[in-house]
Amino acid sequence: MQIQPDVRTIEGEIFKALVNAGAVSKDNADDPVKVGLQRAARTDAGVHAAGNVVSIKMITAVPGVPDLLSRINDELPPEIRVWDYVRVQNSFNARTSCDSRKYTYFFPTYLLIPPKPGSGLHRTLKQSSSTSGDDHPFWKDVAPDSTREEDMQRKKKWRVGPEQLGLLRNAARKYGGTHNFHNFTVGREPKDRSCQRHMWSIEISDPVVYGDTEWLSVLLHGQSFMLHQRKMISALVLSIRTGTPSSLIDELYQLRTVMIPKMPSLGLLLEHPIFSSYNARMQEVNVNVELTDLDYRPAIDFDIHAEKIKAFKEEYIYSRMRSSEERVQVFDRWICSLDRYAGPDLLYLNPQGTVPDAAVVKKGKKRTNAFREWKKFDATDFVSADGTTNPLAEEDADEIEEEVAEGISKKDLEEAEG
């Protein structure tokens, strides 16, 4: 989302469109800081957004431009839309004036199938006497040397049962309220007060089949979200597929640091930020003000654009998400990368729901056989420069990233959150 040097970003495209449409003067066209550009939520690289709010000092009456909104959208690529613009109070800041945000995470239900017998994670689970997956009906009569592609064809036909769905919903309820989410982000110390975040609600949909694959969606409504907080979904998925009790979530709020893998960016969608407090104040301000008065301040309301947003999501988000999964099997490659791991970092997946000392990440101490994330799972576009599908080759060592966000300043972390 946020403007960065030499990187194509949503804010960069919007600022350029505002300049070309005449909504930002040529004198201010060289630096968005001059017009106070701020955003309500800065999405991670690769994360979708259906609604966001940008605050900026802009020209709303441009000579020769009768419909400024249409003119701005004409300057934008079709996958970026401005739904509306409204006049706000001078003190308004899109990030600090925002009360809460809503995100949805989508994933195929086959991620809940236990690790394949014989895989690295399967062997680790057997050592801890956890549910190893040997007796899971999905793996019955499957050859140990079956290929990922062969397994994938069977996974598409798998459907989650009511018992497992109930366990998932029960575990998700553990996120409700105010907790220390230090294990669900990077670059924060366990005692950092900024890790205390409030989740208003977490709702898990009924499963829906698209094509051959069954999908679930998780709607998270929180006061604010930390960088890489999609780890919340990862903890749910990993605990359910390994038979780990929901009490693990409570353990993850404690001051011990553990490594929780990030879910792929592909499944995450910022629905929209919410400005309830600001809208309530403006309702009082507008009591004796006419709609046409320059002092009138409209509410920031995404609901009035619901139909357009719904159509946009289907064309540019949901369809791309499903087609990417169909072509590249992003989620399956991600879960297989976890199942290949046989080190100690995931030993908190056990029948007691406890965190053993071997799984604790100790600051300044090198971990033996530490789990490493793949940068490629932070992408949503899997087409190479020559137009062919990127196969997400597992052996590409240059694509490995470190889990710890070394050198990120507190200010940069705050800017990265939303």
Side-chain angles (χ1 to χ4, degrees):
M1 175 67 183
Q2 190 176 19
I3 287 180
Q4 301 176 46
D6 304 319
V7 177
R8 185 170 179 256
T9 65
I10 296 170
E11 273 188 358
E13 293 292 316
I14 291 175
F15 185 69
K16 183 171 65 176
L18 291 170
V19 171
N20 292 341
V24 172
S25 70
K26 297 299 181 183
D27 291 338
N28 293 329
D30 62 330
D31 188 0
V33 174
K34 291 182 178 180
V35 289
L37 182 64
Q38 291 286 342
R39 81 292 312 161
R42 175 186 164 176
T43 49
D44 294 352
V47 174
H48 302 287
N52 207 341
V53 169
V54 170
S55 51
I56 188 171
K57 298 173 185 176
M58 63 179 279
I59 302 166
T60 57
V62 181
V65 182
D67 187 345
L68 182 57
L69 183 63
S70 295
R71 180 73 179 85
I72 293 169
N73 279 320
D74 287 343
E75 294 288 338
L76 289 168
E79 67 271 19
I80 302 175
R81 295 290 88 185
V82 174
W83 302 123
D84 204 353
Y85 62 88
V86 296
R87 188 184 297 272
V88 293
Q89 287 189 320
N90 291 339
S91 61
F92 182 87
N93 178 296
R95 186 170 69 88
T96 58
S97 299
C98 180
D99 294 315
S100 61
R101 289 91 173 164
K102 284 187 177 182
Y103 282 86
T104 301
Y105 196 91
F106 300 85
F107 65 90
T109 59
Y110 67 69
L111 292 187
L112 301 176
I113 298 170
K116 185 176 183 177
S119 65
L121 183 57
H122 171 264
R123 294 194 301 272
T124 300
L125 294 174
K126 289 194 75 170
Q127 291 174 7
S128 66
S129 301
S130 182
T131 302
S132 64
D134 286 352
D135 58 349
H136 193 275
F138 179 84
W139 295 115
K140 187 178 181 181
D141 300 326
V142 175
D145 59 350
S146 61
T147 65
R148 189 193 65 79
E149 290 75 14
E150 290 170 340
D151 293 342
M152 184 68 238
Q153 293 305 311
R154 299 183 67 251
K155 288 178 180 180
K156 288 182 180 180
K157 300 174 183 177
W158 188 79
R159 302 294 181 254
V160 66
E163 181 180 354
Q164 203 171 30
L165 186 58
L167 291 172
L168 185 68
R169 285 171 170 155
N170 182 59
R173 281 193 283 270
K174 292 280 188 177
Y175 287 136
T178 302
H179 303 287
N180 185 346
F181 285 94
H182 74 95
N183 273 318
F184 300 89
T185 186
V186 293
R188 298 284 194 186
E189 294 294 328
K191 293 184 179 180
D192 189 331
R193 292 181 62 184
S194 68
C195 294
Q196 296 286 333
R197 302 294 169 110
H198 186 82
M199 293 295 131
W200 294 104
S201 63
I202 301 93
E203 301 173 11
I204 297 180
S205 70
D206 289 333
V208 178
V209 176
Y210 293 103
D212 296 327
T213 306
E214 184 180 65
W215 294 74
L216 280 174
S217 65
V218 183
L219 176 62
L220 302 104
H221 180 193
Q223 185 176 21
S224 60
F225 290 83
M226 306 177 77
L227 181 65
H228 299 333
Q229 206 165 338
R230 61 184 186 273
K231 289 167 174 272
M232 292 172 63
I233 309 299
S234 179
L236 289 179
V237 168
L238 294 180
S239 63
I240 298 305
R241 73 190 296 259
T242 59
T244 301
S246 61
S247 58
L248 171 68
I249 305 299
D250 297 317
E251 291 293 318
L252 297 177
Y253 296 141
Q254 305 307 312
L255 296 180
R256 296 180 298 262
T257 299
V258 301
M259 188 278 164
I260 303 175
K262 300 193 303 286
M263 293 286 283
S265 292
L266 180 65
L268 186 58
L269 166 66
L270 169 63
E271 294 287 356
H272 61 82
I274 297 169
F275 294 82
S276 301
S277 298
Y278 173 81
N279 288 345
R281 291 199 307 273
M282 293 309 98
Q283 192 171 16
E284 295 177 3
V285 168
N286 294 332
V287 170
N288 297 314
V289 181
E290 297 294 331
L291 288 173
T292 55
D293 196 307
L294 287 177
D295 290 330
Y296 183 80
R297 297 293 182 265
I300 299 173
D301 185 5
F302 283 91
D303 290 342
I304 61 179
H305 307 289
E307 288 303 314
K308 290 188 293 183
I309 293 174
K310 181 180 178 182
F312 176 85
K313 289 196 289 188
E314 183 57 44
E315 183 174 0
Y316 291 101
I317 299 176
Y318 298 152
S319 60
R320 176 175 291 189
M321 195 182 295
R322 296 192 290 262
S323 66
S324 293
E325 170 60 18
E326 182 65 29
R327 289 183 293 108
V328 191
Q329 295 93 52
V330 181
F331 291 97
D332 186 54
R333 292 179 185 274
W334 174 78
I335 204 69
C336 287
S337 74
L338 267 66
D339 287 355
R340 285 192 298 273
Y341 178 67
D345 284 358
L346 301 180
L347 285 174
Y348 54 80
L349 301 173
N350 58 64
Q352 292 77 38
T354 56
V355 178
D357 189 64
V360 176
V361 178
K362 297 178 175 65
K363 188 174 181 179
K365 185 175 181 181
K366 186 175 177 61
R367 290 137 64 202
T368 303
N369 193 15
F371 183 84
R372 293 289 180 254
E373 308 246 54
W374 295 89
K375 290 181 181 178
K376 57 191 67 183
F377 294 122
D378 284 339
T380 57
D381 191 353
F382 300 94
V383 178
S384 303
D386 59 2
T388 60
T389 298
N390 182 346
L392 294 178
E394 288 85 352
E395 66 274 9
D396 188 355
D398 291 337
E399 286 295 314
I400 295 177
E401 68 174 346
E402 292 290 334
E403 164 65 14
V404 180
E406 298 283 0
I408 298 181
S409 68
K410 187 172 182 178
K411 182 178 184 297
D412 288 340
L413 277 173
E414 290 173 351
E415 286 291 328
E417 297 173 355

